[in-house]
Amino acid sequence: MTMPTPPSDDELQTLSRQIGELARDKHHMLVTAESCTAGWIAKCLTDVAGSSAWFESGVAVYSYEAKQALLGVRPETLEAHGAVSRETVMEMVSGAISRSGGTLAVAVTGIAGPGGGTADKPVGTVWVAWKSRGSYTTAEMFHFEGDRDAVRRQAVSQALRGLHRLLSA
């Protein structure tokens, strides 16, 4: 089985430019809350010239404590479900939007590897959630293959694709 080729920098830049145009046209301010991608989504978005017109803020949160303090993720959620879960990513994206001036948010949490995986949550397991202020949260789990960079790059791509879908709706 051949692994899908992770998206190139050019593909991520093109998607980010499209998101920026849509966000600007629809008067959205974007917010990111990132764990396994460590700010890569925010970097892609802010690489677009003029992004300050539609990019509000981004936070990289790896520890349980940071997720709680900066995004309001409940300790009970982390204890019951772990950092890499639907419940956690949904609280992350809700916290990102409620604690900022943003109107559209994306959150990512996952296991990029090479270590940290378990039988239930193998390396490459990534949860992404999207939320527009005043609407319901959507979340999706992915299982990516490849090394740490490939997993993270694919997570960034899926996060951006979800933003693009929301903005295109």
Side-chain angles (χ1 to χ4, degrees), residues 3-168:
M3 287 191 322
T5 305
S8 69
D9 287 346
D10 286 344
E11 290 170 300
L12 296 177
Q13 289 171 359
T14 297
L15 197 49
S16 296
R17 277 195 305 276
Q18 292 170 349
I19 289 166
E21 290 169 9
L22 289 165
R24 185 192 62 238
D25 292 348
K26 295 187 175 194
H27 308 288
H28 273 293
M29 292 299 287
L30 273 59
V31 179
T32 63
E34 304 180 61
S35 188
C36 66
T37 53
W40 197 340
I41 299 165
K43 182 213 180 300
C44 286
L45 294 170
T46 60
D47 279 349
V48 177
S51 58
S52 60
W54 48 267
F55 185 85
E56 169 75 20
S57 61
V59 61
V61 288
Y62 270 57
S63 72
Y64 278 22
E65 292 79 10
K67 286 176 177 72
Q68 292 169 41
L70 299 174
L71 298 172
V73 175
R74 296 176 308 125
E76 300 82 13
T77 300
L78 293 164
E79 189 175 309
H81 304 285
V84 181
S85 65
R86 181 178 197 276
E87 294 79 6
T88 295
V89 80
M90 289 182 73
E91 288 187 23
M92 286 172 65
V93 78
S94 292
I97 210 162
S98 69
R99 293 173 176 229
S100 72
T103 58
L104 184 63
V106 62
V108 178
T109 185
I111 305 164
T118 65
D120 289 346
K121 297 176 186 177
V123 169
T125 302
V126 175
W127 276 96
V128 183
W130 303 268
K131 181 171 180 61
S132 180
R133 189 175 292 278
S135 70
Y136 292 107
T137 302
T138 58
E140 190 172 347
M141 182 176 60
F142 298 92
H143 292 285
F144 300 124
E145 294 185 16
D147 63 12
R148 182 175 180 80
D149 188 69
V151 168
R152 294 172 78 199
R153 184 176 287 273
Q154 291 169 87
V156 170
S157 176
Q158 289 300 328
L160 292 173
R161 289 175 193 280
L163 285 173
H164 190 274
R165 278 191 305 272
L166 266 178
L167 287 163
S168 297

